[in-house]
Amino acid sequence: MDFDVIVLGAGIVGVSAALHLQDRGRRVALVDRRAPGEETSFGNAGLIERSSLVPYAFPRDVGTLFRYACNRSTDLYWDYKALPGYASWLARFWWESAPRRLDAAARDMQPLIGACVAEHDKLIARAGLADLVEARGWIEAFRTTAAFARAVEEADHAAREHGLHVNVLDGAALRASEPAVGTDICGAVHWADPKSVRDPGALVKGYASLFERGGGRLLIGDATTLRASDSGWTVQTEHGVLGAKDVVVALGPWSDLVFAPLGYRIPLRAKRGYHMHYRPARAMPSMPIVDSERGYVVAPMTGGRLRLTTGVEIAKRGAPPTPIQLERVEPLARAAFGLGERIDRTPWLGMRPCTPDMRPVIGRALRHRGLWFAFGHNHHGLTLGPVTGRLLAEMMTGEPTFTDPSPYRPERFG
């Protein structure tokens, strides 16, 4: 079975890349060990985050660092057994989070963030998935007046500088618009430009169905069997060996299982996170709400479910799940946003593929002909999937790119 391109990874990034390559006349096979949208793309908070202008950085204030060091935070938990493997990555992350370098990362990410909603909208319309998407934005909620005041200043600046639509809500106004919110919350910033998805996994499956309707092949296979051949690349699937001139590695947090044996030393690490679904004990929120000072999200999902997603867990990739983060935030979320009884039997565990400089890896791998990378989208894989797919397809087919791809080049890590 011969194709022009094999895309390894059927999450939002891989599916989007496959669609954009198909649109440009390439015969594409999409290969994953599971069905589309069943790993990292399945379990997020469902935000298409147009307002995320500054990447999530390593905190530099002493108070937050002390709280993290004590390992009792609601937004971060770390397993001491994982720290040796993360030490150099965390050091680079801290260095890249200095104000001047963080500003540079924000500038580099702006072209992708700025186009994220428009690129999703095109695929949503083609795939007939509008019923999964809400255009109401999201709410950033605060517990203390000091944090709320700082957020209002930052939101006003973002609105002026980037043309974003922002509404400031005091506690009374917030509860009038969102009756589920309790008195723990003193105010909020409503970011109106983003969109939200009520079933992220279903959205990815819908994009994959669009790919198949266009003649693409979706196959179960093992990405670690990737091998260079005289004519390009081969990979083993349950239907036999596939061959193609070009291959795209879009395996999210598992991308290193392919690029590392090929000799690439890209500092990719996974930040783990959990979700659980609940029945609402009060009214269902109309849009996702972030408890900014406690580091979790509550988001309305299909089927009358309220999804609680946690912050970051630093742990080895194969380490068993822990209940710690959910146990810490569940009482807070129950009081603040009216969580009812749990629906899921066990929490879902996922992994966010992260680079220390807070930029994804998109582009050609220079030491191997026909090898392309698209991974490392940090906390914004769902947001950036379609726009990444477009940029990568433009690069692979020799079209003019809609933005300069050099900030995302694989070789920036040496």
Side-chain angles (χ1 to χ4, degrees):
M1 292 187 288
D2 292 324
F3 295 85
D4 297 320
V5 185
I6 298 169
V7 177
L8 300 176
I12 183 63
V13 175
V15 170
S16 298
L19 272 168
H20 277 280
L21 287 163
Q22 184 184 71
D23 289 344
R24 288 158 176 79
R26 299 302 194 262
R27 294 177 298 118
V28 184
L30 186 59
V31 177
D32 203 324
R33 62 181 181 178
R34 301 182 65 177
E38 294 191 356
E39 293 284 2
T40 305
S41 297
F42 171 80
N44 55 70
L47 286 169
I48 303 173
E49 233 306 47
R50 170 65 183 88
S51 63
S52 184
L53 302 174
V54 180
Y56 292 110
F58 199 110
R60 302 180 77 81
D61 63 282
V62 175
T64 301
L65 291 173
F66 178 76
R67 179 163 55 87
Y68 284 175
C70 292
N71 207 17
R72 297 186 179 277
S73 171
T74 54
D75 49 350
L76 173 69
Y77 169 74
W78 46 269
D79 181 351
Y80 73 92
K81 294 187 291 294
L83 292 185
Y86 276 79
S88 63
W89 188 94
L90 290 169
R92 175 73 180 269
F93 184 26
W94 180 86
W95 187 82
E96 295 282 0
S97 297
R100 186 174 65 180
R101 286 182 284 274
L102 182 60
D103 287 345
R107 288 193 300 271
D108 287 343
M109 292 302 297
Q110 182 55 42
L112 302 184
I113 294 293
C116 68
V117 169
E119 292 300 327
H120 264 288
D121 283 348
K122 295 173 188 176
L123 296 184
I124 288 165
R126 288 172 56 191
L129 299 171
D131 59 327
L132 290 177
V133 183
E134 298 283 354
R136 297 178 178 176
W138 64 280
I139 290 172
E140 186 179 14
F142 295 89
R143 294 171 174 268
T144 64
T145 56
F148 181 36
R150 289 193 298 270
V152 170
E153 290 183 5
E154 293 169 1
D156 287 343
H157 175 76
R160 291 192 305 269
E161 293 295 315
H162 301 283
L164 296 176
H165 299 87
V166 178
N167 303 308
V168 176
L169 304 170
D170 63 18
L174 175 60
R175 279 177 278 281
S177 64
E178 297 290 342
V181 177
T183 56
D184 299 39
I185 304 301
C186 69
V189 175
H190 173 210
W191 299 90
D193 297 275
K195 293 188 175 182
S196 60
V197 182
R198 289 182 173 263
D199 190 334
L203 185 80
V204 179
K205 289 183 184 295
Y207 289 173
S209 294
L210 176 64
F211 167 71
E212 288 189 288
R213 293 197 298 272
R217 292 293 304 276
L218 182 61
L219 298 164
I220 300 297
D222 181 359
T224 64
T225 64
L226 182 70
R227 299 291 184 271
S229 68
D230 292 339
S231 57
W233 298 90
T234 64
V235 67
Q236 182 69 46
T237 76
E238 62 180 10
H239 292 289
V241 177
L242 302 187
K245 176 184 176 183
D246 293 314
V247 64
V248 176
V249 179
L251 292 161
W254 297 277
S255 296
D256 61 320
L257 299 180
V258 172
F259 70 68
L262 294 172
Y264 295 90
R265 298 293 178 259
I266 299 171
L268 183 72
R269 293 291 184 274
K271 297 179 186 176
R272 305 200 328 173
Y274 298 83
H275 84 219
M276 172 61 69
H277 291 115
Y278 302 82
R279 300 291 181 201
R282 301 195 285 263
M284 176 69 78
S286 66
M287 67 189 82
I289 305 177
V290 178
D291 188 339
S292 183
E293 294 176 80
R294 295 294 184 268
Y296 65 88
V297 181
V298 292
M301 294 285 154
T302 55
R305 302 170 301 159
L306 190 58
R307 177 177 289 182
L308 169 63
T309 65
T310 71
V312 170
E313 180 183 69
I314 300 298
K316 292 182 178 180
R317 182 159 48 195
T322 68
I324 294 171
Q325 282 192 302
L326 276 174
E327 289 176 350
R328 289 178 178 176
V329 301
E330 190 177 84
L332 299 171
R334 180 164 284 119
F337 305 112
L339 299 188
E341 64 182 4
R342 285 187 174 190
I343 296 174
D344 305 330
R345 295 187 57 169
T346 58
W348 177 86
L349 167 63
M351 295 188 289
R352 308 170 182 99
C354 298
T355 60
D357 68 353
M358 297 159 283
R359 301 163 177 86
V361 178
I362 307 170
R364 184 196 300 271
L366 294 185
R367 296 199 297 274
H368 291 82
R369 184 187 300 273
L371 178 63
W372 299 81
F373 292 154
F375 53 79
H377 290 77
N378 297 278
H379 293 252
H380 296 304
L382 181 69
T383 294
L384 298 177
V387 71
T388 294
R390 173 185 169 181
L391 179 60
L392 183 72
E394 289 169 348
M395 297 171 71
M396 292 180 67
T397 57
E399 294 182 19
T401 57
F402 79 91
T403 189
D404 177 11
S406 62
Y408 327 116
R409 64 194 185 281
E411 65 270 21
R412 70 185 189 267
F413 293 113

